[in-house]
Amino acid sequence: MTDISHSATARRLLIVVPCYNEESVLRETHSRLDVLSKSLSEKYSDLWVGMLYVDDGSSDATWQIISDLSGKNPQAGGLRLAHNAGHQQALWAGLEWASQRVDAAISIDADLQDDVNAIPEMVEKWLGGADIVYGVRRDRPTDTFFKKHTAQLYYKLLRKLGGDVVYNHADYRLMSRRALSALMQYPERNVFLRGMVRLLGFNQEYVYYDRAPRFAGESKYPLRRMLAFAVDGITSFSVRPLLLITWLGIAITFCSFCAIVYALLSYAFGHVLPGWTSLLISVWFLGGAVLTSVGIIGIYVGKIYQEVKRRPRYFLADRVSPQGLSE
């Protein structure tokens, strides 16, 4: 294969792979991406394709494997975060690095559930003028009944609340340098990329694929993290929960007014009954509504608190650049 990494006319494509404790699958992931990159370079003579693995503070041998792969393959490199910053921040680190060095970047998880064979179609659409190409799942046959239906419900809820997201799309996408540069202008620390990318606009295309079961290892998104991620998505792109609280307060106030009128009429006509049951229900209902409302407001206040501190998203502990890309 001809070395075009230093050619002034070569287009550079980087596949960004966030990794967290992926020692059981990483070599297979690299093997498939390496075969794909060579195939693309043969098909497009002026296209350089590299891989960048972002180690999100793994506690296993993930970074050692990345270093080994980089030593054997000049088109592979890696970033090592100093601590576990989270999937979205690790992905941001890779995209930020790519935005200054390549013409386009593809983000894909290391678990091989997203079909790497969809990448050639993404590249074709990018070369045809698309700035963003979304990888969209046709179906979720490998998910459990609970995960599949809660995910579908979440997408619908987020869109109802005003969030513009692509249905059945996670973080498998291609972005041109223009789109990457625009994305880097977002200053927020509460990162929800699948919503942020959608706000960019530009020329957008879609590629559909079948989701596969995880090749090895365990999911890094248990129920607790899934719920936290869902809350982040909703509160990062919609203020409608705050409006719902307002309408709930109005409705409760109206019901309370009706209850007061009913109580006064009952007292006036002498139909006074022991009211401890209704009182107890009312206290619990109002207490729950107040606590829920305060909790939702607290989430937004917490996000404001995190944003105003302006702390760095991540720190790099180590890095290995693919050959032909500057530090």
Side-chain angles (χ1 to χ4, degrees), residues 63-293:
W63 180 248
Q64 288 83 350
I65 294 174
I66 293 173
S67 300
D68 181 54
L69 295 174
S70 301
K72 295 178 180 178
N73 187 338
Q75 288 167 267
L79 303 177
R80 185 185 186 188
L81 304 193
H83 68 292
N84 178 229
H87 176 272
Q88 296 290 281
Q89 300 293 359
L91 182 52
W92 181 280
L95 295 177
E96 185 174 33
W97 195 90
S99 68
Q100 304 168 13
R101 296 168 176 85
V102 297
D103 300 295
I106 295 175
S107 57
I108 184 172
D109 288 340
D111 57 15
L112 294 177
Q113 288 192 273
D114 295 324
D115 187 5
V116 299
N117 294 314
I119 290 178
E121 188 177 352
M122 288 183 172
V123 172
E124 185 177 346
K125 290 181 180 295
W126 164 54
L127 296 177
D131 287 292
I132 303 172
V133 184
Y134 297 100
V136 182
R137 304 160 188 162
R138 288 194 184 94
D139 199 3
R140 310 173 70 105
T142 63
D143 290 347
T144 63
F145 178 86
F146 175 79
K147 184 175 181 179
K148 178 178 180 179
H149 287 82
T150 52
Q152 292 175 345
L153 178 62
Y154 169 69
Y155 281 112
K156 293 177 181 178
L157 176 62
L158 184 55
R159 298 190 75 168
K160 287 289 186 181
L161 292 175
D164 185 11
V165 293
V166 178
Y167 188 72
N168 268 342
H169 163 72
D171 287 302
Y172 186 24
R173 68 181 74 88
L174 180 149
M175 299 181 67
S176 70
R177 185 162 191 165
R178 180 168 71 157
L180 288 170
S181 298
L183 179 64
M184 292 303 115
Q185 295 182 39
Y186 283 102
E188 60 255 42
R189 267 49 182 169
N190 295 284
V191 178
F192 185 70
L193 284 169
R194 65 191 66 178
M196 295 168 67
V197 172
R198 189 66 172 166
L199 295 176
L200 296 177
F202 298 123
N203 301 320
Q204 302 181 1
E205 294 284 353
Y206 304 88
V207 169
Y208 297 89
Y209 67 95
D210 294 318
R211 187 167 170 82
R214 185 180 177 87
F215 180 80
E218 297 180 352
S219 172
K220 304 306 183 296
Y221 267 88
L223 180 60
R224 175 180 58 82
R225 285 197 175 188
M226 287 173 58
L227 291 174
F229 188 64
V231 171
D232 277 343
I234 292 173
T235 54
S236 294
F237 287 89
S238 176
V239 296
R240 290 190 182 180
L242 296 176
L243 298 177
L244 293 176
I245 289 175
T246 303
W247 286 108
L248 177 63
I250 293 174
I252 292 175
T253 301
F254 177 75
C255 292
S256 300
F257 177 76
C258 293
I260 291 172
V261 172
Y262 173 77
L264 292 175
L265 290 175
S266 297
Y267 178 79
F269 289 100
H271 301 299
V272 179
L273 298 174
W276 67 270
T277 302
S278 58
L279 179 62
L280 184 65
I281 293 174
S282 299
V283 169
W284 277 94
F285 175 71
L286 293 174
V290 169
L291 288 175
T292 301
S293 303

Side-chain angles (χ1 to χ4, degrees), residues 52-58 62-68 70 77-83 90 93-94 97 101 314-322 327:
L52 182 73
Y53 301 97
V54 184
D55 179 10
D56 185 22
S58 299
T62 295
W63 180 248
Q64 288 83 350
I65 294 174
I66 293 173
S67 300
D68 181 54
S70 301
L79 303 177
R80 185 185 186 188
L81 304 193
H83 68 292
W97 195 90
R101 296 168 176 85
Y314 58 87
F315 292 102
L316 289 182
D318 203 353
R319 62 184 174 189
V320 181
S321 295
E327 286 290 335

Side-chain angles (χ1 to χ4, degrees), residues 16 31 34-35 46 51 75 114 139 204 212 235 241 323 327:
V16 178
S31 176
D34 186 40
V35 171
D46 62 340
M51 289 78 71
Q75 288 167 267
D114 295 324
D139 199 3
Q204 302 181 1
T235 54
Q323 183 179 356
E327 286 290 335

